[in-house]
């Protein structure tokens, strides 16, 4: 490749063409960070259906000295790393089980808007190989009012969710899943040689162009440096992104099941994929509908129910029993089981180091439901974890007077603390100062 044609316009076109091709290379992994460098933010949003057994979920006291409830007991070791948030809701929500649609959009299903995870992904998704990871136990998009995905694009169109652990893994780690490593290594060598040629050509070109063109050329050189950094990251991924043993230990064949052990295996595998995506810097944004509101996937819990009870031995049935003032123990048992799985993920993130930080310090994890008790859209049960690298304050129960603050203000708090842009969202314009150190 040579750029010594006497027509200066030809120089620019040729350089554009060659650089444009180079810029299509994906950035697969970010540089490892020390505690002195700015943290790379990651965001994960998890949804559970039907609300919760309120008395066993919400602490009765507030502040840092609150008493951990039985449902939240699995998080006891992680108490400094999360906050319980109560009293928030999306205004103007009504209906029964249409809350998956609105959880991250703050908008009724009849007039959907972009979800907050995709607002975030639009700003930081280009830093990683995969813009965002959209997951659901049910999979797909569902239907209006019965969504199976939390994620909506800028046009308000639902983004299909992946449900197969194998498919998600292959999406996250294509070099190991789809391309022979030797072939990838050869491509890296070829791409580096192209960069060397471009660099040599631009040195001679710089001396023969005017100041205006030199500024344009400087911009392209900066882009080339970005590509070089991408190649270095790909080499790092090729050599050490995922230990083969770690891949073998994943239960990628797992699928949702009424069997308690298979259910645990499937859910933990899905959470492992979120963890690996964040740890390997393959994605910065993830959403997961653990179960939707269709009384379908992960709905049968025979180990907690009693045969013949109203609603049967199902999560949906337990929720209605609790809402009617009958026994709340079966639903509280499901709630606690789910919190155990959340604790599993948070502990993995906390144990992983990123320089001198915990990986959890760079992650903001929001877990909750779009209902408090089933069919009620106020006082949502919410947990916010991680993010200490961005000044989030935890180890507390923050209770807001119902109607005084909106759920979307929590989104703005997360986004702004990470240094991203968000003037307003879903009618909210203020952050929640109680969650900021």
């Amino acid at each position: 490749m040579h750029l010594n044609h006497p027509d200066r316009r030809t120089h620019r076109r040729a350089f554009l063409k060659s650089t444009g091709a180079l810029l299509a290379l994906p950035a697969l992994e970010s540089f490892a960070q020390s505690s002195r460098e700015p943290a790379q933010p990651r965001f994960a949003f998890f949804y559970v259906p039907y609300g919760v057994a309120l008395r066993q979920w919400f602490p009765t006291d507030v502040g840092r000295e609150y008493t951990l409830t039985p449902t939240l007991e699995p998080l006891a070791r992680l108490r400094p790393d999360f906050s319980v948030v109560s009293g928030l809701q999306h205004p103007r929500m009504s209906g029964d089980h249409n809350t998956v649609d609105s959880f991250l959009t703050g908008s009724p299903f009849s007039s959907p808007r972009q979800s907050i995870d995709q607002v975030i992904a639009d700003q930081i998704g280009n830093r990683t190989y995969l813009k965002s990871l959209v997951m659901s136990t049910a999979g797909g998009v569902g239907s209006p009012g019965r969504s199976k995905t939390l994620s909506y694009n800028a046009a308000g169109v639902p983004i299909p969710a992946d449900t197969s652990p194998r498919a998600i893994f292959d999406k996250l780690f294509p070099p190991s899943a789809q391309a022979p490593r030797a072939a990838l290594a050869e491509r890296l060598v070829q791409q580096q040689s192209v960069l060397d040629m471009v660099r040599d050509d631009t040195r001679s070109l710089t001396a023969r162009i005017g100041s205006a063109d030199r500024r344009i050329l400087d911009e392209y050189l900066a882009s080339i440096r970005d590509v070089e950094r991408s190649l270095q990251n790909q080499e790092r991924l090729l050599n050490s992104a995922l230990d083969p043993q770690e891949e073998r230990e994943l239960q990628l064949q797992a699928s949702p099941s009424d069997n308690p052990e298979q259910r645990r295996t499937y859910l933990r595998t899905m959470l492992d994929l979120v963890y690996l995506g964040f740890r390997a810097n393959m994605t910065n944004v993830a959403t997961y509908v653990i179960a939707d509101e269709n009384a379908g996937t992960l709905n049968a819990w025979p180990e907690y129910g009693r045969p013949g009870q109203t609603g049967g031995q199902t999560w949906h049935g337990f929720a209605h029993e609790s809402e009617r003032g009958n026994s709340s123990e079966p639903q509280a048992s499901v709630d606690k089981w789910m919190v155990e799985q959340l604790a599993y993920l948070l502990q993995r993130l906390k144990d992983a180091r990123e320089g001198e930080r915990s990986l959890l310090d760079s992650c903001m994890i929001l877990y909750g439901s779009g209902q408090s008790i089933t069919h009620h859209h106020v006082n949502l049960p919410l947990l916010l974890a991680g993010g200490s690298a961005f000044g989030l304050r935890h180890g507390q129960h923050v209770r807001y007077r119902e109607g005084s603050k909106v759920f979307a203000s929590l989104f703005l708090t997360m986004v702004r603390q990470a240094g991203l842009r968000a003037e307003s969202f879903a009618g909210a314009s203020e952050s929640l100062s109680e969650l900021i150190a």
Side-chain angles (χ1 to χ4, degrees):
M1 180 188 303
H2 295 287
L3 300 177
N4 53 8
H5 192 282
D7 182 350
R8 193 164 65 189
R9 290 173 298 176
T10 303
H11 294 181
R12 190 175 301 152
R13 281 200 301 271
F15 192 74
L16 254 170
K17 183 177 179 181
S18 59
T19 305
L22 293 169
L23 291 178
L25 296 171
L28 294 184
E29 186 186 26
S30 299
F31 288 118
Q33 297 169 325
S34 74
S35 61
R36 294 182 297 274
E37 296 175 322
Q40 174 175 296
R42 288 89 157 181
F43 298 82
F45 302 88
F46 298 102
Y47 184 92
V48 289
Y50 315 128
V52 297
L54 291 177
R55 281 188 228 170
Q56 292 91 334
W57 174 278
F58 281 124
T60 57
D61 41 5
V62 297
R64 303 187 68 81
E65 301 303 319
Y66 77 95
T67 303
L68 208 62
T69 58
T71 296
L72 302 183
E73 188 61 37
L75 293 167
R77 291 179 57 196
L78 294 151
R79 183 173 175 134
D81 299 298
F82 76 94
S83 293
V84 184
V85 183
S86 58
L88 298 181
Q89 65 193 68
H90 287 314
R92 301 180 302 281
M93 294 298 161
S94 61
D96 50 12
H97 291 284
N98 53 23
T99 47
V100 178
D101 308 63
S102 62
F103 191 68
L104 295 187
T105 66
S107 177
F109 71 88
S110 56
S111 55
R113 64 158 58 90
Q114 186 176 27
S115 53
I116 193 65
D117 65 297
Q118 293 304 301
V119 172
I120 295 167
D122 282 349
Q123 296 187 50
I124 64 172
N126 61 352
R127 301 177 188 176
T128 53
Y129 177 72
L130 197 62
K131 179 180 178 180
S132 70
L133 186 62
V134 180
M135 303 162 55
S136 169
T137 299
V141 298
S143 58
R146 290 294 187 273
S147 180
K148 300 181 187 297
T149 176
L150 290 173
S151 301
Y152 289 73
N153 67 19
V157 176
I159 299 174
D162 290 312
T163 185
S164 161
R166 167 54 69 184
I168 295 168
F169 180 85
D170 289 349
K171 184 175 288 188
L172 278 171
F173 298 101
S176 60
Q178 298 172 11
R181 287 178 176 262
L184 177 59
E186 183 179 352
R187 285 205 305 275
L188 291 174
V189 172
Q190 294 171 346
Q191 291 164 346
Q192 185 61 56
S193 67
V194 172
L195 286 172
D196 290 340
M197 286 191 291
V198 171
R199 190 185 301 104
D200 292 341
D201 288 337
T202 54
R203 288 195 188 102
S204 60
L205 181 62
T206 301
R208 297 185 282 112
I209 59 178
S211 58
D213 281 344
R214 195 173 294 120
R215 282 193 298 272
I216 296 173
L217 187 58
D218 286 342
E219 294 176 0
Y220 286 129
L221 291 174
S223 297
I224 288 175
R225 284 190 290 272
D226 288 341
V227 175
E228 291 178 311
R229 193 156 50 242
S230 172
L231 289 177
Q232 292 168 355
N233 292 335
Q234 289 183 65
E235 290 174 326
R236 189 175 294 111
L237 173 69
L238 184 66
N239 294 325
S240 63
L242 193 65
D243 189 298
Q245 178 61 30
E246 196 165 27
E247 179 178 346
R248 285 192 293 271
E249 291 173 355
L250 286 170
Q251 303 296 312
L252 296 177
Q253 78 289 346
S255 59
S257 172
D258 297 343
N259 176 277
E261 190 55 41
Q262 292 178 18
R263 181 198 303 130
R264 183 186 298 271
T265 297
Y266 172 79
L267 190 53
R268 291 204 171 186
T269 301
M270 296 290 271
L271 297 178
D272 284 338
L273 290 168
V274 173
Y275 162 78
L276 290 172
F278 285 174
R279 196 202 70 188
N281 289 313
M282 301 302 282
T283 189
N284 285 330
V285 184
T287 61
Y288 181 26
V289 180
I290 295 175
D292 60 72
E293 299 278 349
N294 278 340
T297 55
L298 296 189
N299 191 43
W301 293 77
E303 67 269 39
Y304 295 138
R306 300 185 306 278
Q309 74 179 40
T310 303
Q313 296 172 280
T314 66
W315 194 350
H316 185 230
F318 299 157
H320 278 292
E321 284 288 291
S322 180
E323 182 253 341
R324 293 173 186 134
N326 299 328
S327 173
S328 62
E329 290 306 317
Q331 187 182 18
S333 297
V334 177
D335 295 340
K336 185 173 183 178
W337 190 94
M338 286 293 167
V339 171
E340 287 175 357
Q341 313 321 308
L342 175 66
Y344 166 79
L345 172 63
L346 297 183
Q347 192 64 57
R348 287 207 76 183
L349 293 169
K350 187 175 178 66
D351 291 342
R353 309 307 300 174
E354 191 170 55
E356 296 177 18
R357 295 189 189 97
S358 158
L359 180 55
L360 181 59
D361 294 338
S362 299
C363 297
M364 297 190 195
I365 312 293
L366 180 64
Y367 173 98
S369 180
Q371 303 168 72
S372 51
I373 57 177
T374 194
H375 292 199
H376 292 257
H377 301 247
V378 298
N379 190 25
L380 303 183
L382 302 170
L383 296 176
L384 179 64
S388 66
F390 307 105
L392 290 185
R393 177 168 56 194
H394 287 312
Q396 59 181 333
H397 172 207
V398 180
R399 178 191 291 153
Y400 295 100
R401 178 174 52 84
E402 288 187 26
S404 65
K405 304 287 184 181
V406 295
F407 184 14
S409 290
L410 181 54
F411 299 155
L412 291 182
T413 304
M414 298 168 67
V415 171
R416 290 171 177 172
Q417 289 303 115
L420 306 182
R421 302 182 308 277
E423 293 183 8
S424 63
F425 185 81
S429 58
E430 62 177 340
S431 299
L432 300 175
S433 59
E434 295 80 5
L435 293 167
I436 301 172

